[in-house]
Every structure is written in structure tokens, then in C-alpha cells.
Amino acid sequence: AEEKTKGPFEPKFEDYQKVYKTIAKLLEEKDDYDDGSYGPVLVRLAWHCSGTYDKETGTGGSNGATMRFAPEGDHGANAGLKAARDFLEPVKEQYPWISYSDLWILAGVTAIQEMQGPHIPYRPGRSDRDVSFCTPDGRLPDASKEQKHLRAIFGRMGFNDQEIVALSGAHALGRCHTDRSGYDGPWTFSPTTLTNDYFKLLVEEKWQNKKWNGPKQFEDVSTKTLMMLPTDLALVKDKSFKQYVDKYARDNDAFFKDFSDVVLRLFELGVPFTQGEDARWTFKSSFDEAA
Ligand code: DDH
């Protein structure tokens, strides 16, 4: 009789907060990667799951975790993301009830918050799908292009100019790897802390063509240690984009607010939620707990 009343395990907020804490702890422990954190590559994994969304056909997006399969995992844009997926494998083993697709997005949320970014409200509801749901190659942005391409790619997901600029602020984090994208170097001096420095550097620094044997990218004139992609500089070349770059360079709070709003939407693209928007949760970060 007891079995009947128990029913299947239905994870609640506390269970997801536990998964959050486990990821946060792993991030702290595994500090011998890149600039000292897997945080940036976890954010990139969550974004590349979500950024395949096509609003016309309703295909792609963070539901499905189809990057587990070769056709999508091997897309050029996804090079290097195996590091993020492997990092999360022990977490999946510890909490087998969470879908890969919910886990990968939760890891993106955790990484942003643990790198001192804004809170990103979250709701579960993604289910894993088979290989037939892999999206075609070419849905993610091509860094060698400019504003027209950005509007086409992000417009397909349903984002406007302001949202494209806010999303791009994620490049405060992490770096380019020659063995992944072919590009090289970080965008900011603090690639494991989310700040509005990406925008500040875009407007305050002078950028010149890097002379090297790789794809066209830009370096800062002052130190020649930072980089920008052609798509990054398109944000200051284009007047409509530039007004938002200026705003976020001046006002970190405005950036954090808009970044949280737009990342929340990005991470929910293509997900057939059964619960409404009021069911979103906000997880406590290590910083909230220390306070
Ligand atoms: Fe990005 N990104 N991204 N990006 N991205 C790269 C790294 C990271 C583009 C190209 C690249 C977003 C938008 C764009 C992050 C987050 C986000 C790399 C380097 C390239 C190339 C990969 C490598 O060599 O390892 C382009 C083009 C765009 C665009 O057109 C707007 C967005 C919207 C996000 C987001 O998260 C919301 C992060 C984080 C990284 C650092 C990864 C790492 O391993 O470090």
C-alpha cells in the first residue's frame, strides 16, 4: 500500500538547488582548466544548445540535448564543448532523475551566478530526444561576419538589436582556442568573472587587425593581449547596436538586468513547458550563502 502512495520521485526546488550546489562545488574544485574555471565553457554549452532555435519551424533550442549525438556534436561551432559535457557527466550520474537538457541549462545558470553574474531564473521541463532531432549545421553565428548576419541569426531565434547586444556581453567570459574555433585569446582581463568590461573595452580601447597566421581578428592596441571577433566589432560599427553598447559600458546594473532577462528567454527557447512562467525558481549562489 505504501508503494502506491509514494508514486514516482518528483523533484522539487530543493532537489534542483542540490544539483546547483554540486555543480558549484565542482567548479571550485576543478580549477586547473583554462583560466582557472570551467564556468565559461559551461555557459557556452548552454548557449549552443539554445541558439539552434528556429521560431518559424519551432525546431532546435534547449529541449533534447541533441548535442550528445555526432551529427550535432561534430558541428564546427560546437568544437571543444565535449569538455563541458564531460565535466557534467558525474553530476548526471549522481542525479539520474535530471534530463541532460535540464542539466546543461542548469549548469549554464550555475556558471553565470558563480562567476558573479546576475541571478537567472530557471524552470525545468526539458526532455532528452533522440538523434533524429539534431539540428542542421549553420544555425549558430559565424564570427567572421557582421551586422547583417547577426540580425539574421538572432532574428531567427526571435531576438532584437538590444537583445543581441545584451547577449554578446557573455564574451566578458572565457576565451577563444586555436584548436577549437581557430581564434585566439580572451576578450577581457577577468575572463572568469561576469562584468560589463566587454562593453567598456569595445568603446574605450582601440582595436587593430592582429597580424598572424590565423583568421581575421582584432587585438587591443595597448596590451595586444585581448581580442575581438569581427562580429564583436560589428556591435560598435552599427549605430543601432552601438547605442546599447554605450549604455551597458556606462551602467553595469542595466547590463545585468537585461542580460538576465534575455538569457532566461534564450535558455527556454523551444521547450514545451507544462508549468507557467510563475513556476520559475531562483537558485541561491555561493555569494548569497556567504552574505
Ligand atoms: Fe561566443 N564565442 N559567440 N557567445 N562564447 C566563443 C566563445 C564563447 C560567437 C563566437 C564565439 C555568444 C555569441 C557569439 C561564449 C558565450 C556566448 C568563441 C571561441 C567564438 C568563436 C570558441 C573557442 O575557440 O573555444 C559569435 C560569433 C557570437 C555572436 O555572433 C554573437 C553568446 C550570445 C553567448 C552567451 O553565452 C549568451 C562564451 C562564454 C565563450 C567562452 C568559451 C570558453 O571556452 O572559454
Side-chain angles (χ1 to χ4, degrees), residues 30-42 44 80 83-84 173-180 184-187 191-192:
K30 296 199 168 190
D31 62 356
D32 58 348
Y33 172 81
D34 255 6
D35 299 294
S37 173
Y38 274 86
V41 80
L42 292 185
R44 188 161 205 246
L173 301 169
R175 60 169 53 245
C176 295
H177 306 76
T178 50
D179 59 342
R180 295 180 180 180
D184 188 34
W187 289 266
T192 63

Side-chain angles (χ1 to χ4, degrees), residues 51-114:
T52 56
Y53 184 65
D54 173 32
K55 68 176 184 192
E56 294 301 323
T57 57
T59 57
S62 69
N63 202 41
T66 45
M67 208 196 292
R68 286 170 299 150
F69 307 114
E72 196 172 329
D74 290 348
H75 288 168
N78 291 331
L81 291 179
K82 189 174 182 296
R85 297 195 298 272
D86 288 350
F87 174 91
L88 292 170
E89 205 47 47
V91 184
K92 172 68 178 164
E93 274 162 35
Q94 193 177 342
Y95 304 97
W97 48 264
I98 195 169
S99 66
Y100 278 101
S101 37
D102 270 342
L103 173 64
W104 290 356
I105 296 302
L106 177 55
V109 166
T110 306
I112 291 168
Q113 295 190 178
E114 294 302 306

